[in-house]
Amino acid sequence: MSTVNSVPVVFDPSQTTITVDNMYVTGLGESAISFDYSQDAVSAAFDLDGAVVFEVNNAKLGTCTLPLKVSSPQFEKLMEMAKNHTMFSIWCTDKSVGRRAGGNYAMFTRIPTYTADSSDVEFSVTIADLDIGTC
């Protein structure tokens, strides 16, 4: 049995940028920004003989959860976009680990819940052409 020496990965939040409609978003919340495809990339089916067929799903529909502080300078603009059903691009780039996620056709799914405290406000985004990959 061989031992593989792996190099640790260092995540540096200062190397992460997020843009909505080509506007840099600052004042992010404490929870992580997440992107997720709505469906599996591949599904499998089998027949009575046990033969398996893999089917590739080419749909790129996905979601993003964007936590933000109400003190964010972009909060009011994002709320306005959510209320007006504005379509926009959204991209998150993390140069410290070389990953990127987002799409060019996105809309806020709903207006964020109102809370009378300093907790994060979560913007839910639906993305028609989600791409999760590398920089």
Side-chain angles (χ1 to χ4, degrees):
M1 182 173 173
S2 66
T3 304
V4 176
N5 294 329
S6 61
V7 178
V9 173
V10 178
F11 171 71
D12 182 356
S14 70
Q15 295 296 308
T16 301
T17 58
I18 185 145
T19 59
V20 171
D21 205 27
N22 297 314
M23 167 182 64
Y24 283 96
V25 177
T26 59
L28 299 174
E30 294 178 20
S31 11
I33 301 164
S34 64
F35 289 83
D36 189 27
Y37 287 107
S38 297
Q39 299 171 334
D40 291 337
V42 174
S43 60
F46 61 92
D47 62 20
L48 291 175
D49 296 330
V52 176
V53 175
F54 289 101
E55 182 178 352
V56 174
N57 182 356
N58 291 310
K60 300 297 180 192
L61 185 65
T63 59
C64 168
T65 300
L66 177 61
L68 207 64
K69 293 290 186 193
V70 294
S71 59
S72 166
Q74 294 78 33
F75 178 79
E76 290 300 324
K77 175 67 175 170
L78 297 179
M79 284 293 287
E80 178 185 317
M81 292 171 70
K83 289 179 181 178
N84 293 327
H85 312 292
T86 304
M87 188 176 299
F88 54 88
S89 63
I90 182 168
W91 290 100
C92 182
T93 305
D94 178 2
K95 293 180 183 173
S96 68
V97 295
R99 296 189 71 199
R100 182 176 188 218
N104 293 311
Y105 305 102
M107 293 182 77
F108 291 111
T109 307
R110 60 180 173 79
I111 296 170
T113 303
Y114 172 81
T115 57
D117 61 16
S118 63
S119 62
D120 293 353
V121 174
E122 284 193 351
F123 284 88
S124 298
V125 181
T126 297
I127 305 168
D129 60 339
L130 179 60
D131 180 24
I132 298 176
T134 57
C135 303

